[in-house]
């Protein structure tokens, strides 16, 4: 998926485990098929998973995740990954990596959510709890920045999509998002990447939230993306009410959903069909709200 992505095979993971965590060296190692773009994942035995950065830009995120998950996890009702071991470069692999507890569940599919109202309530509770965590010493969020900083890459992505989407409509929607008032309150914690691939459900309820590599403090509107990339329109108002988003924050959240999907689509359309399809879903959902 990335020009600078390294090749990560199960054999490498076995060597790393044997070298750095010999107590787990007898456990099986098998690749986890995933639409994730930043880390390769391998099941370790039945109860653990190994996550290794795929490319240089993913290294800081996994270091942040290993640093902050032990502090964030106990403050959240939803289950989140539990770091069990911090790996270091070795066996030819150049970056830090992590071992986590395995979390059961399945990724929901946008457009086919079993219990939209229940999931909307669970996600709103998660967003609310994240926002309540003391942000005093939190790191800047990967995406907790003003939307204006996304202007150039978003417009570039729109241009790349000429002939495949209504670029005039996408440009108008993006410019509308840029006109939303900026976040003027104090920085607030946000997950930063609430998407179907980072959510696990069980019997219609939220069972876990994954991937805290982009978590940090800033504009919490970024976590409203889930209203478009996962929840159906029928559950959107209930989610918004439960979160307590005003018009400006809601507009910024929709802008984040739009920008992320526009940038993802041309980048991943040939290499990650799951992400590409979700991007198309988001663009259709946002456009449907103004038609």
């Amino acid at each position: 998926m990335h020009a600078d992505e390294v090749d990560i095979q199960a054999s490498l993971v076995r060597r790393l485990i044997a070298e750095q965590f010999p107590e787990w060296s007898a456990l099986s190692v098998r690749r986890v098929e995933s639409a994730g773009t930043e880390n390769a994942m391998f099941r370790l035995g039945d109860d653990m998973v190994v996550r290794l950065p795929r490319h240089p830009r993913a290294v800081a995120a996994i270091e942040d995740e290993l640093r902050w998950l032990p502090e964030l996890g106990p403050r959240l009702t939803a289950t989140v990954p539990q770091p069990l071991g911090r790996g270091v470069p070795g066996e030819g692999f150049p970056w830090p990596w992590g071992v986590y507890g395995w979390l059961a569940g399945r990724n929901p599919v946008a457009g086919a959510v079993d219990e939209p109202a229940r999931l909307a309530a669970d996600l709103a509770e998660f967003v609310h709890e994240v926002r309540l965590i003391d942000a005093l010493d939190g790191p800047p969020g990967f995406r907790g920045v003003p939307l204006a900083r996304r202007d150039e890459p978003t417009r570039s992505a729109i241009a790349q999509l000429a002939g495949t989407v209504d670029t005039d409509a996408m440009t108008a929607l993006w410019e509308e998002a840029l006109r939303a008032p900026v976040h003027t309150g104090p920085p607030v914690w946000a997950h930063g990447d609430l998407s179907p691939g980072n959510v696990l459900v069980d019997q219609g309820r939220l069972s876990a939230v994954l991937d805290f590599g982009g978590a940090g403090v800033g504009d919490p509107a970024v976590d409203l993306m889930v209203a478009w990339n996962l929840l159906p329109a029928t559950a959107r108002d209930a989610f918004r009410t439960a979160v307590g988003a005003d018009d400006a924050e809601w507009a910024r959240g929709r802008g984040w959903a739009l920008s992320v999907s526009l940038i993802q689509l041309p980048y991943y359309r040939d290499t990650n069909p799951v992400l590409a399809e979700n991007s198309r879903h988001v663009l259709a959902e946002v456009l449907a709200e103004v038609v």
Side-chain angles (χ1 to χ4, degrees):
M1 289 179 286
H2 311 283
D4 53 355
E5 186 170 331
V6 299
D7 182 39
I8 304 173
Q9 300 294 330
S11 56
L12 168 65
V13 179
R14 292 189 189 98
R15 295 197 305 272
L16 287 169
I17 292 295
E19 178 188 54
Q20 300 183 32
F21 299 101
E23 66 273 25
W24 297 331
S25 61
L27 297 176
S28 61
V29 175
R30 54 197 187 278
R31 184 182 294 274
V32 177
E33 296 302 326
S34 165
T37 63
E38 302 300 288
N39 299 283
M41 297 194 299
F42 294 82
R43 190 88 175 258
L44 179 61
D46 293 328
D47 302 320
M48 293 179 283
V49 64
V50 182
R51 279 163 53 86
L52 307 95
R54 291 177 180 269
H55 57 89
R57 297 178 308 286
V59 175
I62 204 163
E63 289 182 316
D64 286 344
E65 185 176 62
L66 291 166
R67 160 68 178 87
W68 287 102
L69 265 176
E71 295 192 29
L72 299 177
R75 294 169 169 81
L76 300 171
T77 301
T79 302
V80 302
Q82 178 185 5
L84 301 176
R86 180 187 293 267
V88 298
E91 296 295 323
F93 186 73
W95 306 309
W97 49 281
V99 181
Y100 304 76
W102 176 259
L103 297 178
R106 65 177 181 85
N107 295 125
V109 177
V113 176
D114 294 334
E115 299 281 351
R118 296 174 68 182
L119 184 57
D122 291 345
L123 287 167
E125 180 181 11
F126 171 78
V127 170
H128 181 66
E129 288 181 350
V130 170
R131 293 179 174 191
L132 290 178
I133 298 174
D134 186 357
L136 181 61
D137 297 321
F142 168 62
R143 289 177 171 161
V145 298
L147 279 175
R149 296 194 191 177
R150 306 272 296 189
D151 191 38
E152 190 280 327
T154 301
R155 291 183 190 273
S156 175
I158 292 172
Q160 293 175 59
L161 291 169
T164 61
V165 303
D166 186 337
T167 54
D168 289 341
M170 292 299 116
T171 299
L173 286 168
W174 175 239
E175 290 178 348
E176 179 184 354
L178 290 174
R179 289 193 291 270
V182 299
H183 177 65
T184 57
V188 178
W189 270 100
H191 176 275
D193 194 15
L194 273 185
S195 61
N198 290 333
V199 169
L200 294 180
V201 295
D202 181 32
Q203 298 183 353
R205 301 297 300 268
L206 178 68
S207 63
V209 178
L210 311 176
D211 194 350
F212 281 70
V217 302
D219 180 1
V222 65
D223 279 350
L224 302 183
M225 289 192 299
V226 74
W228 292 272
N229 67 30
L230 177 56
L231 294 175
T234 55
R236 228 165 266 154
D237 286 344
F239 173 77
R240 176 181 176 176
T241 299
V243 172
D246 60 19
D247 289 346
E249 184 181 1
W250 193 247
R252 294 196 305 275
R254 184 167 50 229
W256 271 105
L258 183 68
S259 176
V260 168
S261 295
L262 285 168
I263 292 171
Q264 279 183 168
L265 183 51
Y267 191 89
Y268 292 115
R269 60 184 161 189
D270 297 324
T271 60
N272 193 319
V274 173
L275 268 188
E277 181 57 32
N278 188 253
S279 297
R280 295 186 188 97
H281 172 84
V282 170
L283 299 184
E285 291 293 301
V286 173
L287 188 59
E289 291 188 336
V290 299
V291 173

